[in-house]
Amino acid sequence: MTSTTRLLEGLGRIYVGLLLAFLYLPIVIMALMSFNASPFYQLPFEWTTKWYSDLASNAQLLAATWNSIEIAIIATVLSTLLGTAASIALFRYDFRGKRFLQALLLPPIAIPWLITGTAMLIFFFGVGIGRGLHAILLGHVALALPYVIVVVSARLQTFAPELEEAARSLGASQWQVTMRITLPWIMPGVIAGALFAFAVSFDQFVVSYFLSTPGQATLPVEIYAAIRKGFMPEINAVSTIIIVVSMGLMLVTARFFKFGGEK
Amino acid sequence: MADVRVEKVTRSFGAHKALDEVSIVFPDGGFYALLGPSGSGKTTLLRMIAGFDYPDSGSIVIDGDSVERVPVDKRRIGMVFQNYALFPNMSVADNVAFGLSVRGEAKATIAVEVQRALDLVQLGKLGERRPHQLSGGQRQRVALARAIVTRPRVLLLDEPLSALDKALRVDMQVELKRIQREIGITTIFVTHDQEEALTMSDRIGILRDGRLVQEGSPEEIYDSPASEFAATFLGDANILPGTAEGNGLRLADGTLVAARSTVLPAQGRAASCAVRPERIAILPAAVAMLDGKENSLAGCVAKRIFAGSVSTYFVDCAGQTVKVLVQNAGQPRLGEGDDVVLRWSPESTVLFAS
Amino acid sequence: MATGGASRRGIGPALPLLAPAYLWLTVAIFLPLSAMAFFSFMTELPMSGKDWSFTLENYAAFFSGALYPTLLWASLRLGLEVTFWCLLIGFPAAYVLAKVLKGRVREAIFLLVILPFWSNGLVRIFSWAMVLREGGILDTALNAVLPFKVNIDLMYSYPAVIIGLVHSYVPYVVLTCYLTLQAIDDSLIEAARSLGASRLQTLRRLILPLAMPGLIAGGVLIFVPVVGSFMEPRILGGRTGTFYGTVIEDQFVAVFNWPLGAALSFILLAVVLVILAVAAPVLRRAQ
């Protein structure tokens, strides 16, 4: 390796370190502030776990947290099931209008959530679906579906159709082929798709915001309301817990499925 | 054009010495093959000459200029990569033009030079194609045209034919040699394919574990390998072990083998000799009596492989299997289990000290 | 998309697998968008009980004064600036990740870059408020280190909005560019260098063109949501944080003029679609 190359690579590593510092600065600050006594985030730092005990008695915030978790889990399951089925159909069959159906997946991803969210608000209100947790779930599944289909389809691209044909020639039914050959192969894609779906739903603020009603809100909506009112330090506490848990889950998953590492 | 001199070049990766004081002179206008198994350091050496890596110590001189600390883009070399490395975002003509264009040549000059290079590799009409629209052989030619259009001082080839199938590879060997002669450029060619090294190069250097173990013309190395490794790595050879005696050695079963040798190992010391399979005559035992003379062994055919123009016999004798290659020129064929006598001349025997 | 060797035929056998997903998308996305288009031409919402009629007034309102076009332009500029900074900051990191780091280190860093996706965006934006305001973390930290008094109060300013948005969206660029850069064979870069190209020439003439799909994909993924953002400007921008997105939000949650909100949304949608339509052929050509 030449000396110039080594110098540039060293600078590159430092640069990536700085970027990571930038990315994690607010997260670390938030975690620290959740243990800081001053409710106005004043320094010097004074250790307390008051906000965590306050959180335990904040029924509204806890309810919103559970709403978020429940909706995210249900939306993940539904969008993964529907999305995987659709991906397999798009992969296995060729028919007129297929390209159009694939193109239809683009709008939910490409249109700003502000527009999608307000459109859902108008339509759900107009046809009597109304607002509330059921409306939020309806929206979240639709938002997550295209992501699942795109991710699972990408995985299906690596699947050799001859495997299905070989299994059929060995006497397996279409259903057996799907369950025993196709699904196991695309499972990493399905799980990646499910992770995306969970992230889209759990972190979703805009669409939830327009579809929520007082008392029927998700955590991001409650946090936004609290911030606009002047913030409660308990939000640092609940956010810290959520970030630690979700990052932990991601790390565990990543240990099983290598993302982005060596091919 | 220019000669390339590599002197005492050493390069370590951690504790591993990839190159250990390697010195080679690559003659002006010559076609030099660096031959060796993987891990022998041949690719490391080529990349040092190219300038992708710098030696820990030693010098690299191209055309009288010391270049061991000159970065690759300033060395004026041409290189053909194993996978061709054609730029997928450019047409064939733009690929070939790249080197001239980054140098800031005038557009008109570039067009003329690119066309000349493409004509030379017989792809004059494919300039507008994209790399992915070409066959393997065509890509190879584009990569070559791209490497020579800048008139580099030396052409470096990193296993350029290994991605081609057998038939195409032979065609390209001829073609590559023709182009190299036509422009007379000093060429350094890395390969692990002995046949390629033998047929294409004027000189071969054999590398092993980061050291140059032998160097010479293909004939010299094939006829007079300097070590068991060189004998078996370049071409096929039967290695017969024994103890040094007279101008040859005595095998374990008592047979005396005479060798053509100028340097003799100390008498009584362990030694071995190499005999090429095609240099051994195989005769039915009934016809040729084993008369206890030198360079002759009795044995039994263990296996025969018929391959059209030649047959290969595997003969069990003196406790080892000897391989014999015979032209199928109408002589009676021997069967498996036949008793035979093997004979070869001292001129066909190369002696090594063990 | 590859097809399982099946010949072209009717949608029949695919229907049971496709129908649930596409029905869901129809109910939750396509019908709402159509409904919004419809309502944007009304004077009042039909379900409000008031009399309503068709009108172009909502669209006329956009052009009636300088307010809405100015805000739309401010939002587009915000989108462009955030996209620019994200590409500038993210691309070198993606390059280091794809071409310098190797093995487990690369895997770990890559994971660290995309991990914030799984934390709450809203909270990340708010924690910037703690960092940037006067008497906040940055202010206190700098004054503790520096011998002279500085006054850092970036809160409720345009730079605060930019910082917050760049922080939220830069991982997208790292992700998309990493994927395209990783696909570039190292020998291509070496070939360019062996032909006499300097590092800069190699970057400009080979690496950037080959990474273009990643840059454009990352750019689109950032630009589109930023143009419609309202939460980040509200929290970090304060009074300077009035953008097109915040005005649309107001129509729905404060002013309750839904038809005007729908019209404003549709104008935004049209602008976004035009931009996507321009980007699409570039993307396709780059592939």
Side-chain angles (χ1 to χ4, degrees):
Chain A
M1 195 184 305
T2 70
S3 52
T4 321
T5 311
R6 210 172 302 150
L7 179 71
L8 288 172
E9 291 192 348
L11 288 175
R13 280 167 217 265
I14 294 172
Y15 178 77
V16 170
L18 288 174
L19 180 70
L20 283 179
F22 171 64
L23 285 177
Y24 282 87
L25 176 73
I27 297 175
V28 171
I29 299 266
M30 184 200 65
L32 285 177
M33 287 302 128
S34 74
F35 293 105
N36 186 12
S38 160
F40 305 106
Y41 321 115
Q42 299 291 5
L43 295 175
F45 186 83
E46 232 178 291
W47 174 266
T48 181
T49 51
K50 178 180 188 299
W51 312 123
Y52 287 88
S53 47
D54 281 8
L55 173 66
S57 54
N58 188 333
Q60 197 182 352
L61 210 52
L62 286 180
T65 308
W66 286 121
N67 287 342
S68 272
I69 293 172
E70 276 173 43
I71 285 179
I73 290 174
I74 301 172
T76 301
V77 171
L78 282 176
S79 59
T80 306
L81 281 177
L82 300 187
T84 304
S87 313
I88 291 177
L90 288 172
F91 174 71
R92 194 180 281 164
Y93 303 105
D94 201 3
F95 47 84
R96 204 187 305 258
K98 182 164 128 175
R99 292 186 69 87
F100 176 69
L101 284 189
Q102 285 169 334
L104 277 186
L105 298 173
L106 207 58
I109 295 179
I111 295 177
W113 282 335
L114 172 66
I115 297 175
T116 325
T118 51
M120 285 179 186
L121 171 60
I122 293 176
F123 178 71
F124 292 171
F125 198 76
V127 298
I129 297 174
R131 290 183 286 178
L133 293 179
H134 60 289
I136 293 175
L137 179 66
L138 191 56
H140 282 197
V141 173
L143 292 181
L145 257 176
Y147 290 94
V148 175
I149 297 179
V150 167
V151 173
V152 175
S153 293
R155 176 70 189 175
L156 272 165
Q157 293 295 304
T158 66
F159 179 74
E162 303 84 52
L163 289 179
E164 290 197 342
E165 288 164 12
R168 288 304 292 273
S169 77
L170 292 167
S173 70
Q174 185 76 59
W175 174 252
Q176 285 172 315
V177 168
T178 305
M179 298 312 288
R180 297 180 57 172
I181 307 291
T182 320
L183 268 185
W185 177 267
I186 61 174
M187 201 38 89
V190 173
I191 289 174
L195 282 174
F196 264 99
F198 190 88
V200 166
S201 169
F202 194 66
D203 198 21
Q204 178 52 243
F205 162 67
V206 179
V207 167
S208 311
Y209 174 60
F210 288 110
L211 296 179
S212 62
T213 57
Q216 295 219 354
T218 57
L219 185 60
V221 179
E222 284 295 346
I223 293 175
Y224 184 63
I227 290 171
R228 298 205 65 187
K229 264 184 268 166
F231 207 71
M232 326 175 227
E234 296 101 297
I235 284 175
N236 281 334
V238 71
S239 304
T240 305
I241 294 174
I242 284 166
I243 284 179
V244 168
V245 170
S246 57
M247 286 188 174
L249 282 178
M250 262 304 291
L251 282 174
V252 171
T253 329
R255 281 202 73 82
F256 289 105
F257 306 94
K258 296 193 168 196
F259 294 111
E262 307 300 303
K263 276 181 277 185
Chain B
M1 302 312 148
D3 64 349
V4 177
R5 293 163 182 276
V6 166
E7 222 166 273
K8 293 195 171 168
V9 162
T10 297
R11 178 74 171 106
S12 307
F13 297 105
H16 170 67
K17 269 200 169 167
L19 288 175
D20 191 1
E21 302 223 328
V22 173
S23 300
I24 302 179
V25 174
F26 302 91
D28 188 4
F31 197 115
Y32 193 110
L34 287 172
L35 182 65
S38 55
S40 60
K42 56 187 193 300
T43 302
T44 309
L45 180 59
L46 192 79
R47 292 173 62 82
M48 299 261 174
I49 298 169
F52 291 121
D53 199 357
Y54 293 168
D56 297 335
S57 62
S59 69
I60 298 170
V61 177
I62 300 179
D63 197 16
D65 302 333
S66 281
V67 295
E68 64 274 356
R69 287 291 177 272
V70 175
V72 51
D73 50 318
K74 301 280 186 292
R75 281 202 192 180
R76 289 173 48 218
I77 51 110
M79 183 152 174
V80 176
F81 292 79
Q82 194 166 1
N83 62 357
Y84 319 134
L86 298 182
F87 307 134
N89 56 324
M90 301 177 198
S91 69
V92 165
D94 288 343
N95 261 280
V96 178
F98 187 85
L100 297 169
S101 159
V102 292
R103 209 192 271 173
E105 300 276 351
K107 279 223 166 71
T109 324
I110 294 177
V112 173
E113 292 292 324
V114 166
Q115 195 54 47
R116 189 181 301 163
L118 284 175
D119 287 339
L120 183 67
V121 297
Q122 302 179 338
L123 288 179
K125 294 194 179 69
L126 299 186
E128 295 313 307
R129 293 266 181 97
R130 290 266 164 173
H132 65 87
Q133 296 169 312
L134 302 180
S135 69
Q138 289 171 331
R139 283 179 210 185
Q140 166 76 70
R141 287 159 194 263
V142 176
L144 185 62
R146 185 178 70 176
I148 59 179
V149 76
T150 56
R151 298 175 196 273
R153 298 187 289 188
V154 51
L155 178 63
L156 307 173
L157 308 170
D158 184 10
E159 309 226 7
L161 304 176
S162 62
L164 300 176
D165 61 44
K166 178 89 181 157
L168 204 52
R169 199 153 64 214
V170 174
D171 286 351
M172 279 310 295
Q173 285 175 7
V174 176
E175 182 75 3
L176 196 55
K177 191 72 195 157
R178 172 185 73 79
I179 293 167
Q180 192 261 338
R181 283 226 185 86
E182 210 167 309
I183 58 176
I185 186 172
T186 312
T187 301
I188 305 173
F189 177 76
V190 156
T191 183
H192 63 265
D193 184 326
Q194 39 152 320
E195 193 190 306
E196 240 167 58
L198 285 172
T199 54
M200 296 176 69
S201 49
D202 322 319
R203 277 183 90 71
I204 296 177
I206 297 184
L207 288 167
R208 184 193 194 188
D209 299 333
R211 289 170 172 277
L212 182 70
V213 293
Q214 193 177 2
E215 183 181 38
S217 71
E219 288 88 351
E220 276 163 22
I221 297 189
Y222 189 80
D223 291 339
S224 316
S227 61
E228 276 187 37
F229 174 77
T232 49
F233 193 74
L234 190 75
D236 217 342
N238 294 297
I239 301 293
L240 307 172
T243 45
E245 186 175 325
N247 63 340
L249 79 171
R250 191 173 288 280
L251 302 183
D253 70 339
T255 311
L256 195 65
V257 177
R260 159 183 64 96
S261 185
T262 45
V263 189
L264 294 175
Q267 299 288 305
R269 296 282 294 274
S272 62
C273 67
V275 188
R276 300 282 183 202
E278 72 276 13
R279 297 291 186 89
I280 301 176
I282 183 167
L283 303 161
V287 177
M289 294 247 301
L290 186 64
D291 44 15
K293 280 205 308 197
E294 294 173 349
N295 297 4
S296 136
L297 282 171
C300 170
V301 176
K303 197 178 170 85
R304 180 172 73 97
I305 296 170
F306 173 74
S309 63
V310 293
S311 291
T312 307
Y313 291 94
F314 292 90
V315 180
D316 284 340
C317 49
Q320 73 178 96
T321 302
V322 176
K323 195 172 166 186
V324 182
L325 196 69
V326 176
Q327 287 287 332
N328 289 327
Q331 75 272 41
R333 283 174 195 149
L334 297 161
E336 290 173 8
D338 289 0
D339 287 326
V340 293
V341 170
L342 305 181
R343 277 198 186 135
W344 65 94
S345 72
E347 283 68 43
S348 303
T349 313
V350 184
L351 191 65
F352 313 116
S354 294
Chain C
M1 177 169 286
T3 54
S7 55
R8 191 161 281 266
R9 50 186 166 174
I11 195 171
L15 209 53
L17 289 171
L18 282 173
Y22 278 89
L23 272 178
W24 200 296
L25 286 177
T26 307
V27 170
I29 306 264
F30 303 125
L31 286 179
L33 286 175
S34 320
M36 184 149 84
F38 188 64
F39 287 142
S40 67
F41 292 102
M42 289 181 170
T43 50
E44 295 285 344
L45 287 183
M47 49 275 194
S48 65
K50 296 179 196 151
D51 290 334
W52 60 273
S53 57
F54 285 106
T55 178
L56 285 173
E57 235 172 71
N58 299 315
Y59 288 92
F62 177 87
F63 296 100
S64 64
L67 175 68
Y68 296 122
T70 312
L71 284 175
L72 180 58
W73 172 240
S75 280
L76 290 174
R77 217 188 84 188
L78 181 71
L80 285 176
E81 279 185 36
V82 171
T83 307
F84 170 79
W85 287 112
C86 284
L87 293 177
L88 195 69
I89 294 171
F91 183 82
Y95 187 85
V96 174
L97 208 53
K99 294 289 172 209
V100 177
L101 300 176
K102 287 177 182 68
R104 295 182 67 88
V105 178
R106 174 202 279 188
E107 230 171 280
I109 304 274
F110 181 74
L111 204 63
L112 281 176
V113 171
I114 60 168
L115 214 48
F117 281 147
W118 277 267
S119 72
N120 192 302
L122 196 62
V123 174
R124 275 181 286 145
I125 288 293
F126 179 72
S127 34
W128 275 110
M130 294 190 262
V131 176
L132 296 175
R133 72 202 171 91
E134 189 175 8
I137 314 291
L138 191 63
D139 195 15
T140 315
L142 279 179
N143 279 314
V145 177
L146 296 174
F148 50 91
K149 173 89 181 130
V150 287
N151 228 343
I152 301 289
D153 185 13
L154 284 174
M155 197 51 194
Y156 304 130
S157 70
Y158 190 67
V161 179
I162 298 270
I163 291 174
L165 285 168
V166 168
H167 178 261
S168 295
Y169 288 102
V170 78
Y172 286 100
V173 178
V174 180
L175 183 66
T176 58
C177 289
Y178 170 73
L179 293 176
T180 47
L181 284 171
Q182 202 199 22
I184 299 176
D185 196 323
D186 287 349
S187 67
L188 288 179
I189 296 166
E190 292 184 342
R193 301 273 286 141
S194 78
L195 290 166
S198 66
R199 284 192 171 80
L200 217 59
Q201 282 173 319
T202 309
L203 177 71
R204 201 168 54 79
R205 305 196 39 175
L206 184 70
I207 299 172
L208 279 180
L210 287 175
M212 204 41 88
L215 284 165
I216 292 181
V220 168
L221 279 177
I222 293 166
F223 180 78
V224 169
V226 169
V227 168
S229 64
F230 64 92
M231 171 267 277
E232 297 88 346
R234 279 246 198 268
I235 296 177
L236 293 175
R239 267 185 299 118
T240 62
T242 305
F243 287 94
Y244 197 70
T246 59
V247 172
I248 295 179
E249 181 205 3
D250 282 340
Q251 302 309 315
F252 284 94
V253 302
V255 186
F256 295 107
N257 188 348
W258 287 13
L260 176 60
L264 293 178
S265 283
F266 253 82
I267 290 166
L268 176 60
L269 182 59
V271 171
V272 167
L273 288 180
V274 166
I275 289 165
L276 288 182
V278 172
V282 184
L283 255 181
R284 217 170 298 131
R285 189 147 34 86
Q287 283 168 352

